[in-house]
Every structure is written in structure tokens, then in C-alpha cells.
């Protein structure tokens, strides 16, 4: 076998190096995109997880107040006396804003430095002045910043940092602290302060936000007697939470990136088929001389394996480079914002995983071998004697007649199945079945289109009809790659257009006012409340013809699921972006709420259901209350649970009258720019306000949307380009295989121009069939994406919307490119010597 490989494979690869290089690049691009996207997202997620683990430390339990209030500082001493407790570390946490040339928000932790060294060395302050290290640790004005925060400061580094924080009443005040050193904690901007100084800073003297506990060896959480008014829980694994949050985006992007590899497989199939077509007489002669059928098959598969190995190796290297570039420029989420984008301007570090490299390298090799399997089987079963006589060159087997309907039906049935583990695996299999069913249906579609051709009034049309009837299987080989790429491109175009159109409609419903404002400050991880005197000043200014306040905060279900709560005046519930009908009005005493689709799916709720909610985690006493689910609303801003309720109901329930956002309808004739300037003048500090007009919010949202989906257009372009290259390779293979046929036609009187017209018309017929099939398949796959994948992955429903002009342009471009390819291929390889071709046929 080795001598056959040496004698045949290497010369064949050298003789067809251009086409083999094209196949190699197809595998390389497919592996690079798939591996790059996976590496990019896994690196960013690993960076996020490392940062969260660094901040979380190693406590066994976190002790908090059961009603959401701070803990009494006296509990710390009591816990230290408990025999089950080995260590206890107090923590104060808050949000501040750094008032420098560039303002930015900062998470501030008040810690006991001696305890922090035991729980979390990454948060141990390191003084700039080593000689004053101990004094700095306990100084009430000493501030320690991590690397991300230090990079945001102006150069040269200032000696002090001015901070702005918001009190419980929504009023802001400024403090100035000395920049004494740094902490090693990675991730977002963070500051550490001595706990006593933090208590004074946030007006929490004698109180603690939480206490971190490390238990004695062998002690379980249930063995600890908790102080009254407190709850204990294991540290929440933020890395797992972020992995769950971003899983749908990462899986969908990964599946999309495999589109290029899937399409590249058809190009490899075309190139291997071309290679086999060129060497059929040679292989048949060697078969007569003693080369067995198994050795012929092994020869073809070995060449495919070589292509797969070289292409996968190149693809892994290219994918690593693309991932490194993407991490620096876009972050680990390719601009979606789910993982926060680049950290500190440099992005997460690239993390190469040998197992991932082995997986995607093996995937490229497997695709190459599977693509060569049909040509290899055809070479194995060919009748060598007939091939030497010029017969038996049609080696591809006919597909079973019922295969196409069976695959299409399987695709429809799979699309009806629920997700598995939150991932729409059945929907992905449904799309694969639809694509394979479309490929299997191509011969029948080509034969159907030939019936629409005029009658036998010319020899060329007669030949075209007969060839399309007898050789329709060649259409499958020629158009398989472009059919898949076109179908997926149509599907992505329709899905993205539908999503964008639905997003625009949703934004218009959710943003009915002229102007929106909120504080740029933060409090306890949320937007800080607006000062009451500022709200009254806005009311009295006469700028707003109407004004709608909103309160945004968090709430919890009885099973401790965290939710986003939006409380605002609901003047007409029918103007909300509702999904489905409303439930009947609730019974007296029940407050109605409107839940988003994520909450409906995660909590298995429907309109008319009842739900208990609390404003504090772990609270089993008031303000826990029963609510009535009045309806479900569409929410494109979250993948997690959220609820909307009347502001008046919220204030009666909670007693909280603070406001976090204002929506303003300006008086007629009011200049928008002047109104924004006057509103800023009403604030204590104009920089504390974030103002945006409806048009600005719409434009910003759509820019973020387009940025998130920009990568999909590049992936579509690569896959479509590979599909068109596949047409070129298949046409070349057919021209080589049909040289004797063309020579005979020349001998019978056909001119070169007539042969060219025949080939172009034949290609046009096949491509038209492929375009129609690609359009139909694309619309079917887009229906699965819009109505199945998006609701199951992101809990977002949307209306199907067709970009007719872009679809028509795409189809025309594919047909035109195919016809141009046919003309160029014939001009290069279609000129034959009639006498020589007929002599060979004898």
C-alpha cells in the first residue's frame, strides 16, 4: 500500500495543488472560525471566573441579615466565640464614583486587613510606601485600588482620590481619600478601605453588610446555630451564574461558526471528486494491474486525511490568532456586552486548552474524511474494465426516493421538541435535517424545472432536457455547498432582520416619552435614587408637559430566585409589549404584575398564576406578598427574570417612595437641547445626571445590536464564498469528465459558442434550482431560528419579517456568480479537440 501512496498521492497533489490548496483553506477557515470563537469565549469566561473567585475568597458561609438590613456588629464577637467557627471576617460594601478627568464607578470594600489575609490574599492591601505599610493598613483615609482602577487614573498618579457616594435618601456627598497603595484583585475597578473607615464613610457605624465564616474541620453548615435575624448561604458561584447567562449566546455563536466548516466540507467533497474524475482511467488501469478496490479507497481517504491534518493545523493556528485579536478589540463576547467587553483596555488573556485544540483539530479531520467518503466508495466499487472503455464514469449512487421527504419531516418534528438542559439541541438537529433534506431533494427539483423548458425545437434544449433528466445527481454534487451556504445566509438574514424589526417596535413601545433621565451614580450595585428635591424642581420647572417616575430595584421569589423589578405608572396596559392575552382581573387584595418571558419560562408561570415575592433575599416575613400574574411582556433587554408593576402598588407594598428614573414628555415647542441643559442646571452637579432623548436611545440600541451581529455577516460571507468555490471546483470536475461528450458534440457540428451557451444554460438551470431550494430551506431554517431557537435560548419571541430586497439581491448575486463561474471554467478547460476526443471514445 505504501508504494501506491508514494506513486500516486504525491504527484496527484502536486498536479492539482491549486484545487487542493483551496480545499485545505476551506478546512482551515472552518476550523479557525469554530476554534477561534470557542477559544475567545472560553478565555473571557475563565478570566471572569478567576476575577470572581479572587474576590469571593474561601469562606464556607456568608452571613447576612434575613430582612436585607445590615447585621449588628456585636454578632461578630459572638460568632468568634462559637466552637464551630474557625474564623469570621466582617465586610462593608458600597458603590462610589471617582471624580477625575474621566469619571467612573468603583466598587468599594471595607475589610479587616488581618482577617482578609486569611480569607482572600488578593484583597490584602499593599502600601506604596513600604516603610509605612502597617500604618497605612489602619489609616482611616487610606485607599487601595486594583490594577483596573489605577489604569483609569490620570498620569502622573494623583496623591489623593475624590469620591462621590449616595446615601439612603438619594443625596450625594463627596469625600477625598489618600491613595496609599494597591490590591492584586483582578477584574473590574475595585477599591479597598479599612472597615472602620468604610463604616463611617457609608454611615453604617456598628453595622456590617455581611460576615464571612470559615467553619472548623468537619462542621457542616446545618450544625451552626445562626443568630436571630440572620441567614447563611454558601458563596454564590458567580462564574457558574455567568456561564449560565451567556451559555445561549456562546452556543448559538459556536453553531454559527461551524457553518463555514460544514460548507467547507462540501468544497472538499467537490475537490476530491474532481481529483477522482481526473484520475479515473489511471485508477482503473492500476486496478487491472493489481491494485485492489480497498487500496483504491484507502488512497482517496489518505489524501483527504492529509488535507484534513494540514488544514486543521493551519486552522488552529489561525483560530488562536483570531481569538487573540478578538479579545483585544471586542472582548470575549464579540461585542455582545454579556461578558463586559475588554477588561482594562487589553482584554482577557488568551487561554489555550489542549483538549479544545484536539477536539477542533479532530473535527476538521473528520469533516475532511467524511467529505471524501462518497468518492472513495465510488472508486472502490467502480468497474475498472468499463472505465477503461470510457463507460461507468457516473460513479455517484442515486439517493433513495423517499430520503428527502423523510429528512424534511424529521426536521419539522424535531423543531417541535423542547430544549435539553436549556440548549435547543433538537432545534439544531432540525436545521441539519432540513439542510440535508434539501440537498437530497435537488435531483427531483432539477427534473421538475426541466419540464418548464420549451419543447424539442433545438438540439441544445433537447440535450439539456435529457442531461437534466439523467444526470440530475450531478446537480447535487455541484450545488451542495452553495445550497447550504445560501440557505444559512437566507436564514440568518431573515432572523437578524426579524430581530431588528421587533427590537425597533419594542423600543418604541417601551420608550414613549421625549426624554429620559437617571443618576450616573450607583448605590448597592443599582442606579442610585434621584434626590427628592431635584424631582420636585423638575416638576416645578414647567419643562415637562407630563412626567412619569419609575423605581428600579431587585426582588426575590420564595425559592431565592433574583428578579429585576420595574415599578412605574401603567396608564394603559394594552400599550405594553404584551405576549399573548391578559388574564382576567385579579381578586380583591391581589396586586397584578406583568412578567417577562424569561420569568415565565424559568418559573413555569402563566397569566392567572399567583406568585409570592419579597424585597429581601431569604425573608419569610413581610414584605413578602402574594401577587397575581396579569400578563407576559416582551423584554429584549434581559435574559433573566423581570417583572413590571404599578408604581402605586409598589409603594403601598414596600413603603419605598424613592425614584430612580424619570420619563418626560416635553411641552410643545420645547427645544430638546435647551431642555437638557436646563435639567442639568437643576441638579446639584450636572455630571451626576444621565440624559438621553428617545432618538438617541433608539440609535444607541440599534448600534449595539448591529455590533453584536456584525460577526454573523462575516461568517455568512465566508460560508457563501466557500460554496461558490465549490461550484467552481464541481464545474471543473464535470468539464474534465465530459471532454469526450463535448468532443463528440463538436464532431457533430456544435460550435464552441454553442457549447458555451449549453453549459451556461445548464448551470443556470441547476443554479436556479439551487437558489429556489436555498430560499425555501433558508425560510424554513429561519422559522426554526425565530420561533424555536431564540425563545428556547434567550426567552425572546419575535415576529417573522422578510427583507425582500436583500433576499432578492442575494439570490441574484449567487446566480450571477455561478453563471460567471461556468463561463470562466469553460474558457479555461472547455476547449477540446474533436478528433482526439472521438478517438479516445473509440
Amino acid at each position: 500500500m505504501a508504494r501506491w501512496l508514494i506513486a500516486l498521492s504525491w504527484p496527484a497533489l502536486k498536479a492539482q495543488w491549486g484545487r487542493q490548496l483551496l480545499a485545505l483553506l476551506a478546512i482551515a477557515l472552518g476550523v479557525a472560525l469554530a476554534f477561534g470563537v470557542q477559544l475567545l469565549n472560553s478565555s473571557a469566561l475563565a478570566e471572569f471566573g478567576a476575577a470572581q473567585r479572587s474576590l469571593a475568597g474561601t469562606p464556607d458561609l456568608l452571613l447576612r441579615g434575613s430582612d436585607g438590613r445590615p447585621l449588628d456588629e456585636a454578632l461578630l464577637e459572638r460568632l468568634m466565640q462559637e466552637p464551630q467557627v474557625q474564623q469570621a471576617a466582617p465586610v462593608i460594601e458600597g458603590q462610589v464614583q471617582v471624580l477625575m478627568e474621566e469619571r467612573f464607578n468603583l466598587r468599594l470594600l471595607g475589610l479587616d486587613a488581618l482577617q482578609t489575609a486569611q480569607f482572600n490574599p488578593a484583597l490584602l492591601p499593599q502600601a506604596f510606601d513600604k516603610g509605612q505599610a502597617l500604618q497605612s493598613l489602619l489609616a482611616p483615609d487610606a485607599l487601595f485600588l486594583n490594577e483596573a482602577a489605577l489604569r483609569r487614573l490620570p498620569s502622573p498618579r494623583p496623591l489623593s482620590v475624590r469620591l462621590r457616594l449616595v446615601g439612603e435618601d438619594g443625596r450625594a456627598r463627596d469625600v477625598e481619600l489618600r491613595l496609599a497603595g494597591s490590591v492584586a484583585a483582578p477584574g473590574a475597578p475595585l477599591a479597598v478601605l479599612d472597615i472602620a473607615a468604610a463604616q463611617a464613610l457609608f454611615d453604617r457605624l456598628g453595622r456590617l453588610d455581611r460576615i464571612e465564616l470559615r467553619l472548623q474541620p468537619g462542621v457542616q453548615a446545618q450544625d451552626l446555630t445562626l443568630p436571630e435575624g440572620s441567614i447563611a448561604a454558601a458563596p454564590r458561584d458567580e462564574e457558574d451564574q455567568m456561564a449560565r447567562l451567556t451559555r445561549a449566546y456562546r452556543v448559538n455563536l459556536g453553531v454559527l461558526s461551524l457553518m463555514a466548516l460544514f460548507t467547507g466540507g462540501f468544497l472538499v467533497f467537490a475537490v476530491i471528486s474532481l481529483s477522482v474524475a481526473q484520475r479515473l482511467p489511471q485508477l482503473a488501469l492500476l486496478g487491472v494491474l493489481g491494485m485492489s478496490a480497498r487500496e483504491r479507497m484507502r488512497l482517496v481517504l489518505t489524501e483527504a486525511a492529509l488535507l484534513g491534518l494540514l488544514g486543521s493545523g493551519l486552522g488552529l493556528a489561525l483560530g488562536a490568532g483570531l481569538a487573540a485579536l478578538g479579545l483585544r478589540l471586542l472582548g470575549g463576547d464579540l461585542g455582545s456586552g454579556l461578558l463586559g467587553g475588554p477588561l482594562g483596555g487589553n482584554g482577557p488573556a488568551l487561554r489555550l486548552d489542549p483538549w479544545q485544540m484536539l477536539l477542533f483539530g479532530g473535527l476538521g479531520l473528520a469533516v475532511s474524511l467524511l467529505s471524501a467518503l462518497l468518492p472513495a466508495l465510488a472508486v472502490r466499487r467502480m468497474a475498472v474494465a468499463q472505465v477503461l472503455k470510457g463507460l461507468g464514469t457516473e460513479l455517484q449512487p442515486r439517493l433513495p426516493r423517499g430520503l428527502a421527504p423523510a429528512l424534511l419531516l424529521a426536521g419539522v418534528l424535531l423543531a417541535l421538541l423542547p430544549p435539553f438542559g436549556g440548549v435547543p439541541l433538537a432545534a439544531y438537529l432540525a436545521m441539519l435535517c432540513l439542510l440535508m433534506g434539501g440537498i437530497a431533494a435537488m435531483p427531483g427539483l432539477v427534473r421538475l424545472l426541466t419540464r418548464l423548458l420549451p419543447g424539442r425545437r433545438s438540439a441544445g434544449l433537447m440535450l439539456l432536457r435529457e442531461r437534466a433528466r439523467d444526470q440530475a445527481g450531478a446537480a447535487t454534487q455541484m450545488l451542495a455547498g452553495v445550497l447550504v451556504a445560501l440557505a444559512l445566509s437566507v436564514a440568518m438574514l431573515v432572523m437578524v432582520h426579524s430581530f431588528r424589526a421587533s427590537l425597533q417596535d419594542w423600543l418604541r413601545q417601551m420608550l414613549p416619552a421625549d426624554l429620559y433621565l437617571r443618576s450616573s451614580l450607583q448605590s448597592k450595585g443599582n442606579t442610585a435614587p434621584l434626590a427628592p428635591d431635584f424631582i420636585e424642581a423638575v416638576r416645578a420647572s414647567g419643562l415637562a408637559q407630563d412626567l412619569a417616575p419609575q423605581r428600579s430595584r431587585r426582588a426575590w421569589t420564595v425559592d431565592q430566585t433574583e428578579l429585576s423589578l420595574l415599578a412605574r405608572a401603567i396608564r394603559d396596559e394594552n400599550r405594553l409589549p404584551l405576549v399573548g392575552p391578559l388574564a382576567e382581573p385579579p381578586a380583591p387584595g391581589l396586586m397584578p404584575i406583568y412578567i417577562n418571558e424569561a420569568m415565565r419560562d424559568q418559573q413555569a408561570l402563566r397569566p392567572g398564576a399567583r406568585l409570592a415575592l419579597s424585597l429581601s433575599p431569604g425573608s419569610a416575613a413581610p414584605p413578602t406578598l402574594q401577587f397575581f400574574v396579569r400578563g407576559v411582556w416582551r423584554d429584549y433587554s434581559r435574559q433573566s427574570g423581570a417583572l413590571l408593576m404599578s408604581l402605586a402598588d409598589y409603594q403601598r407594598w414596600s413603603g419605598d417612595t424613592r425614584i430612580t428614573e424619570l420619563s418626560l414628555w416635553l411641552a410643545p415647542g420645547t427645544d430638546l437641547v435647551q431642555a437638557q441643559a436646563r435639567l442639568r442646571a437643576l441638579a446639584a452637579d450636572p455630571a451626576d445626571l444621565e440624559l438621553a432623548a428617545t432618538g438617541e436611545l433608539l440609535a444607541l440600541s440599534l448600534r449595539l445590536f448591529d455590533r453584536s451581529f456584525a460577526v454573523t455577516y462575516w461568517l455568512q460571507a465566508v460560508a457563501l464564498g466557500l460554496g461558490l468555490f465549490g461550484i467552481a471546483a464541481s464545474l471543473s470536475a464535470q468539464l474534465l469528465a465530459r471532454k469526450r461528450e463535448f468532443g463528440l458534440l463538436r464532431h457533430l457540428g456544435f460550435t464552441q459558442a454553442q457549447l458555451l451557451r449549453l453549459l451556461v444554460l445548464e448551470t443556470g438551470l441547476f443554479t436556479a434550482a439551487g437558489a429556489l431550494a436555498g430560499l425555501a430551506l433558508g425560510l424554513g431554517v429561519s422559522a426554526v431560528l425565530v420561533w424555536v431557537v431564540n425563545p428556547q435560548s434567550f426567552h425572546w419571541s419575535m415576529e417573522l419579517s422578510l427583507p425582500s430586497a436583500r433576499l432578492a439581491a442575494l439570490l441574484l448575486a449567487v446566480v450571477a456568480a455561478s453563471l460567471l463561474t461556468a463561463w470562466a471554467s469553460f474558457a479555461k478547460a472547455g476547449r477540446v479537440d474533436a478528433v482526439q476526443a472521438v478517438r479516445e471514445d473509440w
Side-chain angles (χ1 to χ4, degrees):
M1 180 61 188
R3 57 192 174 94
W4 296 121
L5 294 179
I6 295 173
L8 297 175
S9 295
W10 181 245
L13 290 176
K14 288 201 302 180
Q16 304 176 55
W17 68 269
R19 297 187 183 95
Q20 303 287 3
L21 179 62
L22 185 61
L24 186 146
L25 289 177
I27 294 295
L29 280 175
V31 171
L33 290 174
F35 178 61
V37 167
Q38 172 63 27
L39 185 60
L40 188 142
N41 278 318
S42 62
S43 296
L45 194 61
E47 185 87 358
F48 180 88
Q52 292 303 318
R53 288 191 298 271
S54 175
L55 295 180
T58 57
D60 297 320
L61 291 175
L62 299 180
L63 194 70
R64 303 178 186 271
S66 60
D67 56 359
R69 298 178 181 178
L71 295 167
D72 191 327
E73 193 177 48
L75 289 178
L76 182 63
E77 183 177 353
R78 173 182 166 185
L79 287 169
M80 289 298 296
Q81 297 174 355
E82 291 285 339
Q84 299 99 330
V85 176
Q86 185 182 71
Q87 288 177 321
V91 179
I92 290 286
E93 184 171 355
Q95 297 282 337
V96 297
Q97 189 177 78
V98 178
L99 304 180
M100 289 290 180
E101 297 174 2
E102 176 194 1
R103 291 194 177 198
F104 61 94
N105 291 316
L106 189 69
R107 181 183 180 188
L108 193 148
L109 297 177
L111 304 172
D112 183 334
L114 299 179
Q115 296 294 340
T116 297
Q118 301 296 323
F119 276 92
N120 195 343
L123 291 176
L124 181 64
Q126 302 291 329
F128 292 142
D129 186 353
K130 302 303 181 183
Q132 300 292 322
L134 183 59
Q135 294 87 332
S136 297
L137 290 178
L138 303 177
D141 64 340
L143 188 70
F144 301 85
L145 302 180
N146 72 343
E147 181 64 24
L150 288 172
R151 282 199 298 264
R152 303 287 293 272
L153 298 181
S155 183
R157 190 172 60 208
L159 299 178
S160 62
V161 178
R162 190 167 185 81
L163 306 175
R164 178 165 294 171
L165 61 152
V166 181
E168 296 290 335
D169 58 357
R171 301 182 188 277
R173 60 190 181 90
D174 299 345
V175 296
E176 189 164 346
L177 299 177
R178 177 171 56 89
L179 183 56
S182 64
V183 293
L190 175 78
V192 171
L193 191 66
D194 179 67
I195 188 166
Q199 287 176 314
L201 185 66
F202 290 108
D203 195 21
R204 299 177 196 169
L205 295 176
R207 294 177 293 173
L208 302 172
D209 288 332
R210 67 176 184 267
I211 299 175
E212 300 178 349
L213 299 177
R214 181 175 295 167
L215 304 179
Q216 295 287 357
V219 176
Q220 302 296 321
Q222 57 269 23
D223 299 332
L224 183 65
T225 303
L226 298 178
E228 185 178 352
S230 66
I231 57 172
R236 188 171 64 181
D237 192 341
E238 300 284 354
E239 183 181 7
D240 287 346
Q241 183 189 27
M242 183 57 68
R244 289 192 299 270
L245 178 64
T246 62
R247 179 177 55 187
Y249 180 82
R250 291 182 287 110
V251 169
N252 286 340
L253 192 60
V255 171
L256 181 60
S257 68
L258 290 173
M259 179 176 68
L261 184 59
F262 185 55
T263 308
F266 291 101
L267 179 54
V268 174
F269 168 71
V271 169
I272 297 295
S273 298
L274 172 59
S275 175
V276 170
Q278 287 180 318
R279 291 183 290 160
L280 273 181
Q282 180 186 14
L283 292 171
L285 178 60
L286 291 174
V288 172
L289 295 177
M291 188 178 192
S292 68
R294 179 171 295 182
E295 287 176 327
R296 295 195 301 268
M297 176 180 176
R298 196 178 305 168
L299 172 67
V300 176
L301 291 179
T302 301
E303 294 174 6
L306 183 59
L307 282 176
L309 288 173
L310 293 176
S312 296
L314 180 61
L316 291 176
L318 182 59
L322 290 175
L325 182 63
L327 288 173
R328 175 173 289 275
L329 298 180
L330 297 176
D333 47 18
L334 290 176
S336 72
L338 294 176
L339 291 172
L343 299 175
N346 293 322
L350 188 67
R351 298 172 184 248
L352 292 173
D353 185 348
W355 291 107
Q356 286 185 2
M357 297 178 68
L358 184 62
L359 172 64
F360 285 93
L363 187 60
L365 177 61
V367 167
S368 183
L369 288 174
L370 287 174
S371 303
L373 186 59
L374 280 179
L377 290 173
V379 168
R380 179 178 180 178
R381 64 171 172 266
M382 72 177 182
V384 293
Q386 289 186 353
V387 172
L388 286 176
K389 295 178 181 180
L391 304 175
T393 56
E394 178 64 32
L395 300 179
Q396 301 301 333
R398 288 184 178 269
L399 297 175
R401 181 168 297 182
L403 180 61
L407 287 171
L408 295 174
L409 179 61
V412 173
L413 295 178
L414 284 169
L416 302 177
L417 297 179
F420 179 78
V423 178
L425 295 178
Y428 295 135
L429 290 176
M431 291 189 290
L432 179 61
C433 287
L434 290 176
L435 292 173
M436 299 307 294
I439 293 173
M442 279 301 303
L445 183 58
V446 169
R447 295 188 185 99
L448 179 63
L449 286 181
T450 58
R451 298 179 183 177
L452 303 178
L453 294 175
R456 304 185 180 186
R457 290 179 292 182
S458 70
L461 289 177
M462 182 185 70
L463 287 173
L464 179 58
R465 289 173 63 92
E466 292 302 316
R467 176 167 175 78
R469 186 183 65 186
D470 297 333
Q471 305 292 329
T476 301
Q477 177 179 329
M478 184 179 77
L479 293 174
V482 75
L483 173 64
V484 171
L486 180 59
L488 291 174
S489 296
V490 167
M492 291 306 302
L493 274 178
V494 172
M495 191 276 289
V496 173
H497 180 78
S498 301
F499 197 175
R500 201 176 194 275
S502 298
L503 177 63
Q504 285 180 299
D505 293 339
W506 178 78
L507 288 170
R508 293 189 184 100
Q509 289 179 289
M510 294 299 293
L511 303 173
D514 299 318
L515 197 61
Y516 298 85
L517 66 85
R518 66 179 183 180
S519 173
S520 63
L521 306 174
Q522 290 189 348
S523 176
K524 296 183 178 180
N526 298 315
T527 300
L530 296 168
D533 54 354
F534 169 75
I535 298 176
E536 291 304 318
V538 173
R539 292 183 187 276
S541 67
L543 285 171
Q545 180 178 307
D546 195 6
L547 184 148
Q550 177 174 295
R551 177 72 167 109
S552 300
R553 62 169 301 172
R554 291 175 295 174
W556 285 264
T557 61
V558 292
D559 63 356
Q560 299 306 298
T561 299
E562 185 176 321
L563 307 169
S564 297
L565 187 152
L566 308 176
R568 69 190 211 187
I570 302 176
R571 299 169 183 175
D572 183 2
E573 61 184 1
N574 291 314
R575 299 189 65 179
L576 295 174
L578 296 172
V579 180
L582 293 167
E584 294 297 324
L590 286 177
M591 292 183 182
I593 60 172
Y594 306 83
I595 62 175
N596 68 353
E597 294 175 282
M599 185 174 174
R600 175 199 63 189
D601 298 339
Q602 293 164 2
Q603 298 287 324
L605 297 172
R606 292 295 182 269
R610 298 189 180 188
L611 179 67
L613 296 173
S614 172
L615 293 175
S616 303
S619 178
T624 300
L625 196 67
Q626 286 280 338
F627 290 86
F628 175 84
V629 178
R630 172 76 166 147
V632 180
W633 60 289
R634 189 169 291 163
D635 181 10
Y636 290 142
S637 61
R638 303 170 186 84
Q639 295 179 45
S640 55
L643 63 96
L644 177 66
M645 65 182 302
S646 164
L647 182 61
D649 287 345
Y650 167 77
Q651 290 176 342
R652 282 197 303 271
W653 170 38
S654 64
D656 177 16
T657 59
R658 292 173 294 179
I659 300 300
T660 50
E661 296 94 8
L662 286 178
S663 303
L664 286 76
W665 286 261
L666 301 179
T670 303
D671 182 82
L672 191 60
V673 176
Q674 293 180 359
Q676 291 181 343
R678 290 180 59 186
L679 287 169
R680 291 190 184 279
L682 296 176
D685 186 341
D688 288 346
L689 284 184
E690 290 183 359
L691 286 165
T694 301
E696 295 172 344
L697 291 175
L698 283 170
L700 175 62
S701 299
L702 294 178
R703 279 200 306 272
L704 292 175
F705 176 90
D706 292 336
R707 182 187 176 192
S708 297
F709 282 94
V711 67
T712 64
Y713 300 122
W714 288 102
L715 293 174
Q716 290 175 52
V718 170
L720 198 56
L722 291 176
L724 291 175
F725 279 126
I727 286 185
S730 296
L731 279 172
S732 298
Q734 290 186 32
L735 286 173
L736 289 171
R738 297 171 64 186
K739 272 193 173 184
R740 296 177 182 177
E741 174 190 341
F742 290 150
L744 179 60
L745 292 176
R746 287 294 309 277
H747 186 74
L748 294 175
F750 274 72
T751 66
Q752 196 76 11
Q754 287 175 321
L755 287 179
L756 177 59
R757 284 197 298 270
L758 176 63
L759 181 65
V760 170
L761 185 58
E762 181 182 303
T763 303
L765 177 68
F766 287 176
T767 306
L772 291 175
L775 177 62
L777 282 177
L779 294 178
V781 173
S782 67
V784 176
L785 287 171
V786 170
W787 292 332
V788 182
V789 173
N790 273 303
Q792 291 184 359
S793 296
F794 304 104
H795 310 286
W796 293 338
S797 63
M798 62 188 73
E799 306 299 329
L800 191 67
S801 178
L802 300 181
S804 303
R806 297 180 69 180
L807 288 177
L810 178 63
L811 295 180
L812 289 176
V814 169
V815 173
S818 300
L819 295 177
L820 182 62
T821 300
W823 177 83
S825 298
F826 187 85
K828 182 178 180 181
R831 299 186 181 276
V832 294
D833 187 320
V835 176
Q836 180 66 27
V838 174
R839 182 180 299 160
E840 290 178 1
D841 198 41
W842 289 347

